[in-house]
């Protein structure tokens, strides 16, 4: 089924410069200077691929305005935003922990958040059936009062909070399949029962001290935060099972009016920061499954917001697969690695992965 898929993008997002961050740490001593792994090319090549295959011509292009400070304040502290603005004007700094920035980064981060807002707004206004925000810097590690892990502003928390203020929207689910824990999104909605946050991530990758299965939210939000810390080495079968056993039943019980995905591609087999084994076909299938659930629960209202993913070669192919599926398009990008990755060892669900999912059954049953 063909759908109207909004595509939110602004070139300025790709101009954010991580500055003197070498691959993933400050260069010096034994770390040779090099470009940061969070690099514009992973995203630019996805956009280029959409142009080359022609899929871009089937999308509804939108350009979000930079997010207003009043919307940023729904999540972040005024002190943090002032510090971010000051460092950005100075032209150099770190917003917290491995969140480097240079001149104009604050404006560009507001632009990034603006794409997430525009994507959700387009769907909630009925101008598109679903949407994809290709934005940068990413957002799911940013906390209330500091940046973390290449994230400066919480794109998804800010956009969701803004949408809940602007639209008659009562329940939102955020599914995070970036290979890292969505700690910022978890923090934003920790004590809320109207936003379900569910993160699938590699057990103790980053941040190493968060994302435990026992972290289920607090106060009235208790039970409305789910963490699925998959063992390193999880592949196609483990993710399929996690979607079927945890994500789908959680959504069915929670009955959201909008489903948002923190769409990272660093769980792909080719990623330099992750230890998982997904191929582009797995991203197609996960997207199709969420669309199917969104069709039943909330008129297909599904919004993907780009997060991590650091393989310049592979992110474009996985991203194209996701966007093709959202749009229900026949235009496919040929993935030369797809079949080879599928044949890697232990791609089927392994007993220790199954044991983790079994521990989540009870938590899912308590939802709703
Ligand atoms: Zn990530």
């Amino acid at each position: 089924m063909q759908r109207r898929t909004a595509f939110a993008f602004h070139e300025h997002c790709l101009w954010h410069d991580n500055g003197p961050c070498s691959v993933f740490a400050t260069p010096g001593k034994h770390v040779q200077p090099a470009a940061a792994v969070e690099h514009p090319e992973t995203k630019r090549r996805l956009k280029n691929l959409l142009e080359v295959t022609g899929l871009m011509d089937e999308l509804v292009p939108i350009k979000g305005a930079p997010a207003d400070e009043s919307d940023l304040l729904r999540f972040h502290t005024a002190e943090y935003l002032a510090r971010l603005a000051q460092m950005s004007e100075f032209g150099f700094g770190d917003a917290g922990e491995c969140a480097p920035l240079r001149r104009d980064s604050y404006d560009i981060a507001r632009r990034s958040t603006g794409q997430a807002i525009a994507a959700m707004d387009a769907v909630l206004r009925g101008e598109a059936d679903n949407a994809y925000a290709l934005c940068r810097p990413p957002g799911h590690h940013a906390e209330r009062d500091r940046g973390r892990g290449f994230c400066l502003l919480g794109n998804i928390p800010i956009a969701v909070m803004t949408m809940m203020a602007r639209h008659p929207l009562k329940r939102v689910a955020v599914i995070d399949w970036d290979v890292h824990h969505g700690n910022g999104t978890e923090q934003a909605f920790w004590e809320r029962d109207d936003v379900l946050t569910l993160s699938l991530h590699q057990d103790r990758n980053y941040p190493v001290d968060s994302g435990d299965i026992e972290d289920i939210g607090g106060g009235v939000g208790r039970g409305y935060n789910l963490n699925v810390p998959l063992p390193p080495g999880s592949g196609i079968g483990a993710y399929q099972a996690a979607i079927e056993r945890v994500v789908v039943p959680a959504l069915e019980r929670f009955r959201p009016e909008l489903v948002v995905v923190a769409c990272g591609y660093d769980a792909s087999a080719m990623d330099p920061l992750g230890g998982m084994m997904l191929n582009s076909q797995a991203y197609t299938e996960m997207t199709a499954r969420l669309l199917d659930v969104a069709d039943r629960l909330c008129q297909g209202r599904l919004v993907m917001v780009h997060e991590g993913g650091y393989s310049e070669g592979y992110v474009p192919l996985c991203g194209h697969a996701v966007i093709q599926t959202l749009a229900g398009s026949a235009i496919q990008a040929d993935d030369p690695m797809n079949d080879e990755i599928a044949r890697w060892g232990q791609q089927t669900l392994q007993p220790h992965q199954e044991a983790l999912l079994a521990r989540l059954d009870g938590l899912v049953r308590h939802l709703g």
Side-chain angles (χ1 to χ4, degrees):
M1 179 171 75
Q2 280 218 304
R3 300 171 194 252
R4 292 171 304 155
T5 298
F7 181 73
F9 173 76
H10 195 289
E11 171 66 22
H12 206 200
C13 289
L14 304 188
W15 291 24
H16 164 62
D17 183 357
N18 284 299
C21 177
S22 183
V23 188
F24 41 72
T26 308
K29 204 174 179 186
H30 296 147
V31 178
Q32 181 181 330
V37 73
E38 197 292 296
H39 194 271
E41 272 301 278
T42 43
K43 291 82 179 172
R44 184 172 276 131
R45 288 172 64 123
L46 168 55
K47 179 170 173 287
N48 291 346
L49 182 61
L50 296 168
E51 300 276 7
V52 166
T53 61
L55 180 53
M56 186 68 90
D57 300 332
E58 296 188 0
L59 307 177
V60 181
I62 52 176
K63 273 194 176 76
D68 288 338
E69 197 174 82
S70 57
D71 288 329
L72 306 184
L73 285 166
R74 296 181 194 279
F75 175 43
H76 293 290
T77 64
E79 186 278 332
Y80 173 59
L81 297 180
R83 196 152 46 87
L84 211 50
Q86 195 179 30
M87 280 187 289
S88 183
E89 198 180 323
F90 177 66
F92 177 81
D94 192 312
E97 176 190 86
C98 191
L101 63 125
R102 301 206 94 176
R103 190 168 307 283
D104 296 338
S105 286
Y106 181 46
D107 289 341
I108 299 172
R110 286 175 49 217
R111 178 72 78 176
S112 183
T113 306
Q115 304 317 306
I117 291 174
M120 291 183 203
D121 209 40
V123 170
L124 292 168
R125 286 173 184 274
E127 293 161 5
D129 299 319
N130 56 44
Y132 191 95
L134 179 55
C135 52
R136 176 181 177 270
H140 74 149
H141 295 310
E143 296 177 351
R144 194 170 287 121
D145 57 358
R146 63 169 172 164
R148 289 183 86 179
F150 299 116
C151 300
L152 301 181
L153 295 173
N155 298 331
I156 288 177
I158 295 162
V160 167
M161 289 173 180
T162 302
M163 291 302 104
M164 293 182 95
R166 276 192 205 166
H167 295 276
L169 183 63
K170 293 196 179 65
R171 294 157 82 83
V172 179
V174 182
I175 309 299
D176 187 325
W177 65 40
D178 187 282
V179 84
H180 304 105
H181 177 227
N183 59 293
T185 318
E186 174 183 275
Q187 184 195 55
F189 301 111
W190 184 254
E191 293 191 11
R192 287 177 62 160
D193 61 0
D194 53 353
V195 179
L196 171 70
T197 47
L198 196 164
S199 177
L200 308 170
H201 49 268
Q202 183 180 327
D203 189 16
R204 293 178 184 276
N205 179 325
Y206 180 86
V208 292
D209 57 355
S210 71
D212 283 352
I213 202 168
E214 288 82 11
D215 296 342
I216 58 169
V220 294
R222 195 171 157 78
Y224 292 87
N225 181 73
L226 293 176
N227 283 319
V228 188
L230 291 163
S234 293
I236 297 165
Y239 273 84
Q240 261 171 1
I243 297 280
E244 291 308 320
R245 283 186 62 163
V246 183
V247 177
V248 170
L251 288 172
E252 283 170 343
R253 286 180 170 274
F254 183 68
R255 306 195 68 77
E257 295 168 349
L258 171 71
V259 178
V260 177
V261 175
C263 189
Y265 299 101
D266 35 15
S268 91
M270 309 309 288
D271 198 89
L273 295 192
M276 306 306 223
M277 303 197 295
L278 297 185
N279 59 2
S280 61
Q281 178 66 23
Y283 284 97
T284 297
E285 283 165 16
M286 295 197 299
T287 304
R289 195 68 179 100
L290 286 195
L291 264 182
D292 168 52
V293 177
D295 278 342
R296 281 188 283 116
L297 298 180
C298 53
Q299 302 92 52
R301 296 200 293 205
L302 177 61
V303 176
M304 303 271 192
V305 179
H306 198 102
E307 291 285 350
Y310 305 102
S311 165
E312 287 183 21
Y314 211 52
V315 166
L317 293 163
C318 296
H320 193 284
V322 164
I323 296 166
Q324 180 200 352
T325 310
L326 285 177
S329 171
I331 297 176
Q332 193 166 348
D334 287 335
D335 173 0
M337 291 303 296
N338 196 62
D339 295 342
E340 184 177 321
I341 294 169
R343 290 167 57 197
W344 284 9
Q346 306 202 3
Q347 279 289 19
T348 53
L349 179 67
Q350 302 296 303
H352 65 296
Q353 298 159 350
E354 209 276 333
L356 172 87
L357 298 179
R359 289 177 60 202
L360 281 142
D361 286 345
L363 295 174
V364 172
R365 266 200 303 278
H366 280 103
L367 266 173

